[in-house]
Amino acid sequence: MGFSNEKAIYMQMADRLCDEIISGHYAELDRIPSVRDYAILLEVNTNTAVKTYEFLARDGIIFNKRGLGYFVSQGARQRIVQARQRDFLDRQVPELFRQMDLLGIGVDKIVEEWKKHAER
């Protein structure tokens, strides 16, 4: 996995695991890779993967069954989607509107582009 400098690596790893949950790669109550296996897969230090899993566990996205590993929590997908929708509406939409104003792009143009995108 290629990491950017914009965000901590453990957060980027958390985003990736959340993407995998949203896409259905891991369903509710599915076992996810062990901390060690995920660290090897993404070529990071095991401590970084531990930090990722602890972060996601605190947020209720995954949970640990002692001796068995980590599993996707019930309702995790919905919690992730809701959090990302809030973030999108609070952070990205205002910047989108600002750029639209600067560039003179109206809502009608955005709707047109959205329809093109939806047809793909």
Side-chain angles (χ1 to χ4, degrees):
M1 176 173 174
F3 296 103
S4 73
N5 291 328
E6 297 174 15
K7 202 180 218 185
I9 291 174
Y10 83 95
M11 291 296 295
Q12 293 176 63
M13 291 173 62
D15 287 344
R16 177 188 165 129
L17 196 49
C18 287
D19 288 348
E20 292 171 337
I21 293 169
I22 290 172
S23 72
H25 185 79
Y26 299 114
E28 290 183 359
L29 305 179
D30 277 357
R31 186 176 184 281
I32 61 174
S34 70
V35 170
R36 186 175 182 275
D37 289 344
Y38 211 56
I40 290 168
L41 176 70
L42 300 182
E43 300 176 344
V44 299
N45 185 293
T46 303
N47 292 332
T48 304
V50 167
K51 195 170 183 177
T52 299
Y53 279 42
E54 287 174 349
F55 170 77
L56 291 173
R58 276 193 311 272
D59 278 0
I61 304 301
I62 62 174
F63 65 96
N64 187 13
K65 283 187 183 179
R66 189 178 177 115
L68 296 175
Y70 282 92
F71 295 79
V72 177
S73 299
Q74 288 186 321
R77 184 183 186 285
Q78 182 180 4
R79 280 194 295 282
I80 295 165
V81 168
Q82 287 174 342
R84 287 189 175 183
Q85 285 175 347
R86 277 192 309 274
D87 182 65
F88 179 77
L89 293 172
D90 292 346
R91 293 184 185 201
Q92 295 183 32
V93 169
E95 176 58 20
L96 172 67
F97 290 163
R98 188 180 79 76
Q99 289 294 323
M100 287 171 64
D101 284 342
L102 284 173
L103 300 172
I105 298 172
V107 173
D108 54 331
K109 183 64 177 171
I110 299 299
V111 170
E112 178 185 322
E113 292 299 318
W114 174 255
K115 287 178 182 176
K116 287 181 194 175
H117 172 77
E119 290 173 358
R120 292 184 211 156

